[in-house]
Amino acid sequence: MFVIVGINHMNIRNFDLNLLVIFKDLFNTLSVSQTATNLGLSQPAVSHALSRLRDSLNDELFIRTARTFIPTDKAIQLGSFLETYLNELESNLFEQEGWDSHNSSKEFRVSGTAFDSFMWVPKLMESLVESAPKLKVTMKGIVLEDFLDRMIRGEIDLSFAGNLEEINNFSVETLGTHDFCIIASKSNSQYKKKISLKQYLKASHVLYTPTEKPGSDIDNYLSSIGESRNILVKTSYLNSIPRLVEKRNMLSMVPLAYGKTVAKYFDLKLYDVPFEVSPFKHQMVWHKSRQNSSSHKWLRDYIRDSYWDFIQEVS
């Protein structure tokens, strides 16, 4: 728990909590003029509020440079704290229990992988247009190294991910599971009805790498049995894989639902994986500060129902 140094139980009643709303916006914009515009205040009023905050917290908070502000360590701590707890407070205080999805113009910000943006989210968007025509949804690419922090800061309301374990202060729910397959070019005549492990290891491979972190579950498994595969291409662009496989006679392991879909548009064949591999757990993740929000609960319920339809369609 973050402690606001300089404000204790003896003088918190003398602290103007409205200053924290100004601080939160200033922390996000790093601009007095932009914060003034966002909050409908004058620039002198924002500057005065910052001066009062500096006095109350006994810290400079933001260091001015030629072009912007640089937050101090205390400002970074306080900013992260407020992103979580002010958002939760606003949800609990001001959101009505009977949230009207059909007439709401609320914007949801979600993130996901290339698999989500190609396979699943377009179907969700199509459905939402009919059920909640005024609702706005912004879809952002997932940055695996910091997507949890983006939810803590309130930049993302919910994210899609895969194969996550339990995470402190987050809810992780598995929507469904997807088996894997191998895609290969139909022009590659060396593969008949199946691909053997020997053929798999001898082939050249395209590896989908949505994260910069090295290694994969497949390569870790192969290493454990004293084997390795020949990876020629690593790409974070999922939809570049079918073309590479089709034209370069390489192999790639992808979710079966994705393989079936791209095989309709590319000259590809699908094969079983020649060793045991655990299914891909497709999940939605959200920060627990959103847990009791009526609109967020509606979104989660809608995603669950829509995902069931999606699974039936791609099975």
Side-chain angles (χ1 to χ4, degrees):
M1 174 72 68
F2 178 82
V3 177
I4 305 178
V5 179
I7 302 178
N8 55 39
H9 66 284
M10 295 297 293
N11 58 24
I12 186 68
R13 70 185 60 187
N14 297 321
F15 183 80
D16 185 355
L17 295 178
N18 288 312
L19 295 176
L20 297 181
V21 176
I22 296 173
F23 172 91
K24 178 175 176 283
D25 196 89
L26 186 57
F27 180 75
N28 289 327
T29 65
L30 297 178
S31 165
V32 168
S33 60
Q34 187 60 55
T35 291
T37 299
N38 291 346
L39 300 180
L41 300 172
S42 67
Q43 290 188 34
V46 174
S47 296
H48 180 62
L50 177 57
S51 178
R52 291 174 61 195
L53 275 166
R54 285 167 168 163
D55 289 342
S56 298
L57 301 180
N58 193 30
D59 189 87
E60 193 67 15
L61 296 177
F62 299 97
I63 308 300
R64 185 183 293 278
T65 66
R67 294 185 176 181
T68 187
F69 282 123
I70 298 176
T72 65
D73 287 346
K74 182 178 286 189
I76 292 172
Q77 285 182 297
L78 179 58
S80 298
F81 176 86
L82 291 177
E83 285 290 357
T84 296
Y85 292 101
L86 274 186
N87 287 335
E88 182 176 11
L89 182 63
E90 289 170 355
S91 294
N92 289 334
L93 287 180
F94 303 117
E95 186 170 74
Q96 296 179 355
E97 189 63 31
W99 186 68
D100 184 1
S101 60
H102 190 77
N103 292 309
S104 174
S105 58
K106 181 179 177 65
E107 178 184 12
F108 286 113
R109 296 157 298 179
V110 301
S111 67
T113 65
F115 175 83
D116 297 302
S117 63
F118 180 76
M119 291 292 299
W120 149 240
V121 171
K123 300 180 185 301
L124 175 65
M125 298 291 193
E126 290 173 14
S127 177
L128 278 172
V129 167
E130 296 181 5
S131 300
K134 297 181 181 179
L135 206 65
K136 301 177 180 66
V137 179
T138 298
M139 176 70 183
K140 298 186 177 182
I142 193 171
V143 182
L144 291 180
E145 284 76 14
D146 75 347
F147 83 110
L148 296 177
D149 288 338
R150 293 172 76 182
M151 283 188 278
I152 291 174
R153 294 195 299 266
E155 298 171 10
I156 297 295
D157 297 304
L158 179 147
S159 185
F160 299 109
N163 295 340
L164 296 178
E165 302 299 331
E166 186 173 318
I167 307 170
N168 286 339
N169 296 321
F170 285 87
S171 294
V172 179
E173 179 179 330
T174 297
L175 294 167
T177 59
H178 295 270
D179 291 326
F180 285 94
C181 70
I182 296 171
I183 54 174
S185 173
K186 284 184 178 179
S187 65
N188 195 330
S189 60
Q190 63 180 307
Y191 307 126
K192 304 303 181 183
K193 293 184 178 181
K194 66 178 183 178
I195 296 176
S196 68
L197 178 59
K198 183 177 180 180
Q199 289 174 314
Y200 180 82
L201 296 175
K202 186 179 179 180
S204 299
H205 295 264
V206 184
L207 176 65
Y208 174 52
T209 54
T211 173
E212 298 294 328
K213 294 180 180 179
S216 72
D217 291 342
I218 302 302
D219 293 296
N220 291 337
Y221 165 74
L222 292 175
S223 177
S224 73
I225 62 173
E227 301 288 357
S228 63
R229 56 180 173 168
N230 180 28
I231 299 172
L232 287 189
V233 178
K234 296 180 181 179
T235 178
S236 60
Y237 298 99
L238 181 66
N239 289 335
S240 67
I241 291 177
R243 178 67 66 185
L244 287 167
V245 169
E246 180 188 51
K247 299 299 183 182
R248 300 296 180 183
N249 275 336
M250 293 188 280
L251 302 181
S252 188
M253 189 182 300
V254 297
L256 179 59
Y258 178 79
K260 287 180 177 180
T261 300
V262 296
K264 298 175 183 177
Y265 306 101
F266 294 89
D267 201 24
L268 300 173
K269 293 185 290 187
L270 275 59
Y271 295 91
D272 292 335
V273 180
F275 49 87
E276 187 173 343
V277 55
S278 298
F280 162 65
K281 292 190 296 185
H282 201 188
Q283 300 161 321
M284 64 175 172
V285 189
W286 64 95
H287 193 267
K288 288 185 176 178
S289 63
R290 300 289 192 273
Q291 189 73 26
N292 296 321
S293 162
S294 297
S295 59
H296 203 282
K297 285 194 289 187
W298 177 89
L299 178 65
R300 299 194 306 264
D301 288 341
Y302 194 91
I303 287 172
R304 291 185 194 100
D305 292 341
S306 299
Y307 200 86
W308 174 252
D309 294 336
F310 165 67
I311 287 291
Q312 300 308 304
E313 183 176 330
V314 299
S315 295

